[in-house]
Amino acid sequence: MDRPDSAMKEQRFSESLTNAIKGVGHTWRTERNFRIHSAAVVLVLIIAVTAKLQPLEWAMLFFAITLVLVCELVNTAIENAVDLFMQDFHPLAQVAKDVAAGAVLVASVNAVIVGLFIFRRFIWQVLTKLM
């Protein structure tokens, strides 16, 4: 190893970043729900720009979005790890998968509630124009 420690750290960081991007890409390619959530993110961001959100509303929205996507990524990791080690059905393996999916559900419900709170003015304006 002829490289100084700082060069090794930089390479390790870039490799870590590359691996993380590969993980997100794998999840995008293999997990339908991640693609559905990603499409919902694009739609919500378009609505958010139209609704002219306040900075705090943007922060809440990004936190809710990020939480759902992170839960999807962790769910995928848990499902793959369980599948790697379990050849046959085991009730605890199923519990691990169900709990990970439950985390995605809880984060998604939270995101819907946050979205309703943030977009209530916008929703009301659209409904009153339709009536």
Side-chain angles (χ1 to χ4, degrees):
M1 301 221 170
D2 296 337
R3 292 178 285 165
D5 285 341
S6 61
M8 288 173 49
K9 286 180 184 177
E10 284 180 31
Q11 184 172 4
R12 280 192 236 131
F13 175 76
S14 66
E15 288 173 4
S16 295
L17 186 59
T18 299
N19 292 337
I21 292 168
K22 285 181 188 176
V24 173
H26 171 80
T27 304
W28 170 264
R29 287 187 308 278
T30 62
E31 300 297 325
R32 177 189 50 143
N33 288 343
F34 190 81
R35 292 189 302 274
I36 291 170
H37 283 129
S38 297
V41 166
V42 171
L43 179 63
V44 166
L45 291 178
I46 290 169
I47 294 169
V49 169
T50 305
K52 299 177 182 165
L53 300 183
Q54 298 299 312
L56 181 59
E57 294 170 324
W58 275 108
M60 291 169 55
L61 188 64
F62 275 113
F63 185 78
I65 287 169
T66 302
L67 182 62
V68 172
L69 296 178
V70 167
C71 284
E72 278 287 358
L73 291 163
V74 171
N75 181 45
T76 300
I78 289 170
E79 286 181 350
N80 282 292
V82 167
D83 289 346
L84 176 65
F85 290 106
M86 298 303 303
Q87 299 296 323
D88 299 318
F89 174 81
H90 191 283
L92 290 178
Q94 188 63 50
V95 168
K97 288 180 163 191
D98 291 348
V99 170
V104 177
L105 176 63
V106 169
S108 298
V109 169
N110 173 71
V112 168
I113 292 168
V114 168
L116 289 173
F117 175 76
I118 290 172
F119 294 119
R120 69 188 184 281
R121 293 185 327 268
F122 184 72
I123 293 169
W124 181 252
Q125 288 172 354
V126 169
L127 289 176
T128 55
K129 287 181 182 178
L130 293 175
M131 295 180 174

